[in-house]
Amino acid sequence: MIKRKLLAPLASAFILPGVGQIINRQPAKAVALILVSGLTFAVGLFFALKELNRAISIPAVYNAPEGQKWKALSDQLFSQGIDWIMILLAVWAAIWCYGVVDAFIWGKRWDQIPKEQD
């Protein structure tokens, strides 16, 4: 059987932050991580789509020649300023890293408990 110190952080890293905490029997922490990471993702997606919609409707992008539409769109998005997207991405990355490291630490502790108490 795979040890928790490996399974829990892998689950948090590749499935969803908080799944490793479920494996480590920490439901409150798991719910908090899932909610915070989900909320961060949802807010980021909402604002990214809002900015994308705004950029697409600008005549310079909308009327760009067929081969230049993607370049015009990316130029417009970067000129609008996407600093807040980078901040949200950094927050989500910090939550993800915390979930992985915490799942490893607590999984290691669970692995050290004798099996009859598990």
Side-chain angles (χ1 to χ4, degrees):
M1 180 158 190
I2 298 176
K3 295 188 178 233
R4 284 187 192 194
K5 71 179 179 183
L6 295 176
L7 181 62
L10 287 174
S12 278
F14 294 113
I15 298 174
L16 183 71
V19 175
Q21 283 67 24
I22 292 171
I23 292 169
N24 287 336
R25 299 179 186 170
Q26 297 175 304
K29 194 184 292 183
V31 168
L33 279 169
I34 291 169
L35 288 177
V36 171
S37 66
L39 183 65
T40 303
F41 178 78
V43 168
L45 183 62
F46 172 78
F47 284 113
L49 290 174
K50 183 179 173 185
E51 290 297 318
L52 182 61
N53 185 44
R54 190 172 79 165
I56 288 172
S57 64
I58 292 175
V61 174
Y62 186 75
N63 296 326
E66 195 60 40
Q68 297 293 318
K69 285 193 186 280
W70 285 110
K71 179 165 180 8
L73 179 61
S74 67
D75 290 346
Q76 182 60 39
L77 283 171
F78 283 109
S79 71
Q80 289 176 191
I82 56 171
D83 296 339
W84 55 269
I85 292 176
M86 296 304 161
I87 292 169
L88 285 172
L89 183 61
V91 168
W92 190 85
I95 293 166
W96 179 79
C97 288
Y98 172 79
V100 171
V101 171
D102 180 72
F104 174 76
I105 290 169
W106 284 95
K108 190 174 179 182
R109 289 180 185 175
W110 272 106
D111 285 342
Q112 294 172 349
I113 296 173
K115 292 301 174 200
E116 59 272 4
Q117 292 180 12
D118 191 14

